[in-house]
Amino acid sequence: MDPNRGGLLRRIAESVFWIGRNLERADATARILDVHLQLVLEDPWVEEDTACRSLLSIMGIRPPDDVAVSTTVVLDRLAYSAEPTAIRGSLMAARENARGAREILSSEFWSALNSTWLGLPEARRMAERLGPHVYFTWIREQTATLAGVVDLAISRDTAWRFLTLGRSLERADMTARLLLTRAVPGAPGRGRPSWSALLRSCGAYEAFLRTYRGDLDEAAAVEFLLLDRLFPRSVFFALSAAEACLNELTPGRARAGVPDLARRRLGRARTQLEFRSPEDLLGDLTTVLVDLERTCSEVSEAVSRTFFEASHAMAWAQGEA
């Protein structure tokens, strides 16, 4: 194979992988911020500085200890910044990656992504007048449109598998981060989003009620968001989708074991979830979620080393608790 052609294919594969990750990151960050900031703004018992520091830590950012952290700081860092961990930065990165892969992306997808990017300034101005919920809702609608275009207008080829792999890894990671917002400190019974709020932020509330017939408790919510085989935002579903993509991208089977690190880590994480009871998961929830984040980071790095020449994975910053 022509080495220049091989380099082109690796570059395109890396671009679509990060398009998937960045679009999912923008959507999930909007969901997390919407739930968390609504809680801070509406509950007078929540200590704003403590809750905002906890949220930034969950999202991989450690703010200075000597500066008060407000919802304004959180919005600047996680919604409006050009950093890759922010909504705006994620969309900017997705658009730049799409520039490098336009030959394999549909014109409809590029048009929708470009329109989203161009609409960001007006969305922010609306948020400043009407509140951040308007901004988060708009982001979710735009990313849903882009996801629909991916499903309807892109062939199920290698590029689609890389995009889906990136989206699935990010979805598992961000669902874990969303669940970690339950650990936000505060007064007893306060300072943490309710399980119904978390389910709504994933678009899972109605699906959950139909599955569990309205019986909402911690164990059931954890089981649904971590283990459900049919709901597309559950961690198990996302890990299984990522594993299926990797199996198609590297179909060779060794006589013993699984040779590549990415598939080993994904398979181990999926199996550890699959065979644990909801009560067991709930008793060790923080450890499970942190390990899931670590797994997604390790798999992303392994995919980069295996498939992308001279790649520099844009991993989450590792914030300190």
Side-chain angles (χ1 to χ4, degrees), residues 149-215:
V149 174
V150 168
D151 288 339
L152 294 174
I154 296 181
S155 298
R156 267 47 174 177
D157 54 11
T158 299
W160 179 86
R161 292 186 186 104
F162 274 114
L163 193 151
T164 304
L165 173 60
R167 180 174 65 184
S168 299
L169 285 176
E170 193 69 25
R171 183 168 292 177
D173 181 42
M174 294 300 277
T175 299
R177 290 177 189 272
L178 181 66
L179 283 167
L180 270 174
T181 61
R182 283 285 300 176
V184 172
R190 296 183 180 273
R192 303 184 300 173
S194 67
W195 285 111
S196 62
L198 291 183
L199 289 165
R200 289 181 191 280
S201 73
C202 287
Y205 186 68
E206 292 180 357
F208 174 87
L209 292 182
R210 285 193 293 270
T211 302
Y212 290 87
R213 303 186 183 280
D215 186 17

Side-chain angles (χ1 to χ4, degrees), residues 117-129 134-135 138:
W117 171 250
L118 295 176
L120 272 175
E122 177 59 26
R124 180 172 179 177
R125 286 192 288 271
M126 289 287 291
E128 289 170 349
R129 294 199 303 272
V134 175
Y135 181 84
W138 183 82

Side-chain angles (χ1 to χ4, degrees), residues 263-276:
R263 282 197 292 169
R264 286 202 305 273
R265 290 295 286 124
L266 274 177
R268 187 187 312 159
R270 176 186 55 76
T271 302
Q272 287 175 344
L273 280 179
E274 188 173 14
F275 295 102
R276 293 183 71 171

Side-chain angles (χ1 to χ4, degrees), residues 78-107:
L78 293 177
Y80 308 138
S81 169
E83 293 297 317
T85 49
I87 294 170
R88 177 172 174 265
S90 296
L91 291 174
M92 180 170 65
R95 183 172 180 265
E96 288 306 307
N97 279 303
R99 283 180 181 274
R102 288 191 65 178
E103 56 264 51
I104 56 91
L105 296 173
S106 70
S107 59

